[in-house]
Structures are given as structure tokens and as C-alpha cells.
Amino acid sequence: GQRSTRPRVRRGGVLEASRTRARPSSRDRRGNRPGSSPASEPELVKALRHEKDGVRAGAARALGDCGARGAAPAIAESLRSDASEQVRIAAIKALLELKPPPKGVLPSVLGALRDPGFPVIRNTAVSLLAAWGTDAAEAALPLAEFARATKDQEERERCLKAVAGMGAAAAPASATVLKILEDQPAGYMRRVVEETLLAVGEGAVPALAEGLRSPQPFVRATSADCLGKLGPIRQARRQQCLDRRVERNKFDGRDRGLQRPQGNVGIVSK
């Protein structure tokens, strides 16, 4: 038959969730996946403070697998304060299972983004923010600031792609993204920055207009290129707005039983 979804208690009190079960996408009213055991949540949360790293990591994974949104603060605390790299990575992956992001966990994820000692934790945190997308739009500016500060080109590119995935909601990060070219004017990074700003769209226009006055030639050139590519998009959107306005006015005229005047002819009732 189907394997049980309840965590197994092993000798020594080690809690370990089954990794072979299916993961349904639907959840109940409490945010838990069908088949999860809410009664086991307190045990798993308690296991997050176990003395063994493997037990704490297993508890975090189990909470994520169960979709235990009520345990999000405890998972976020493990991410913020646990000394074990294994546990903190497990906590990030558990939070990914709790999409959309629970309230109050973003500061812990941003703290992991700035972790100086564990590159794997930083990269996993960036992947989590990228997966959350617009649900984590307030992280766009910290991501851009980290992208500018890091010396690792792969980290920088990963952060910028996460910002691009947030679309128009990442507009507050536009100026910081553009300033990356002041320190990294290489052709490849210029392309990544341009793609990010184009993904932000019209919200990046004020930063791009300011970039035209930059003393850095790469910043000016990229700003001009982006504005040139965004121009037709903005014009097309303005035309769509005008078309919708015309259609709405026509509908209003018909609704009042009136015809639009043509030439010097006045309004005539139908």
C-alpha cells in the first residue's frame, strides 16, 4: 500500500520524514498538504533545536515537505541563527516548499544572502528569492546591492536574473542595477544588466534617463540602448490606452442612445 506520510521516530529520537512519497500541490485551509500530520508539527519544531545537525536538518526538510506554514517562524530562526551549513540549507529549501512566502521570513533570507562564510547558502538564498519572484519584490533592491558588492561574477549574474524575474515590481532596484556597470563594464555584464532593465520595463525609465548623464561611457551607452528599446514598447502601450479610451467613449455614446457628431452635424438622437 501507500507509504505513510508521518515522520518516523528512529532510535535516539531522530525524526526523519519519508522522502519517497508524492507531493500533492493542493493544500487544506491551514496551508498544509493533504496527507500531512499537523499533530507532528510540534515534534518537528522541537527537533529543530536538537543537538545533532542531521536531526535539525531532517526536521526542517520534514516541515517543508508537510507544508507546515505555521512552523515558518521556527524555520526562519534556524536559517538565521543555526551554525550548521547543512541545517541552514535545509531551512531555505523548506521555505521554498511554503510558497508563497510566509510573512516575516524575508529578513532571514536576506540575512543568508549576506552570509560571508558560506557561498552555497548565499546561492541557495538567491535561488529561493528567484523562485518566489514578484512575491518577494521587496528583496529586489537588496539583491541588486549584493550583485554590485560581490566579486563573484556568477553570483552577480544569478542575482540580476532573480531581479529580472520580478519584472515591473523590481523598479526600485533599477538605479543600483545600472550602477553595476560603473565597476563591471565588461561586455557580457553589460548584456546581463540590459536584459534586467528591459525586464523591469517602464519602471526603469527614470533611472535610465539619469544614466544618460553619467560620466561613465558604458552607463550612458546602456541607458541609451535600453531607452531606445523601451520606446516602441511605451508607444504601443500608450496607443493601447488611447484605443481603449475610444472604445469606451463609443460604448458610452451607444449606452445613452446617442450618435457621435460627424463634421458640422450636431448630436442626433436615435
Side-chain angles (χ1 to χ4, degrees), residues 86-125:
Q86 176 189 4
V87 175
R88 296 178 71 193
I89 292 175
I92 294 174
K93 293 181 177 179
L95 291 175
L96 177 59
E97 296 291 334
L98 303 182
K99 185 178 180 181
K103 293 181 180 179
V105 304
L106 195 56
S108 295
V109 179
L110 293 177
L113 182 67
R114 295 185 288 268
D115 190 300
F118 298 101
V120 176
I121 291 178
R122 295 198 300 269
N123 294 335
T124 309

Side-chain angles (χ1 to χ4, degrees), residues 5-7 28-45 63 66-71:
T5 61
R6 294 180 62 86
D28 62 18
R29 292 180 180 178
R30 296 183 58 191
N32 297 315
R33 289 194 176 93
S36 64
S37 177
S40 67
E41 271 187 38
E43 298 176 8
L44 291 170
V45 171
L63 287 167
C66 292
R69 297 184 66 83

Side-chain angles (χ1 to χ4, degrees), residues 202-225:
E202 291 189 28
V205 169
L208 293 169
E210 184 67 25
L212 293 175
R213 296 190 287 271
S214 171
Q216 301 291 333
F218 285 100
V219 175
R220 294 197 305 271
T222 301
S223 298
D225 289 346

Side-chain angles (χ1 to χ4, degrees), residues 140-189:
L141 182 56
L143 274 169
E145 291 172 345
F146 176 71
R148 189 181 181 194
T150 183
K151 302 300 182 183
D152 189 307
Q153 182 166 317
E154 291 185 2
E155 280 188 339
R156 185 179 300 114
E157 181 181 358
R158 195 176 292 113
C159 288
L160 290 178
K161 287 184 176 180
V163 173
M166 297 173 184
S174 300
T176 304
V177 170
L178 190 58
K179 288 179 180 178
I180 291 174
L181 294 180
E182 296 178 0
D183 308 315
Q184 300 291 331
Y188 174 73
M189 188 50 57

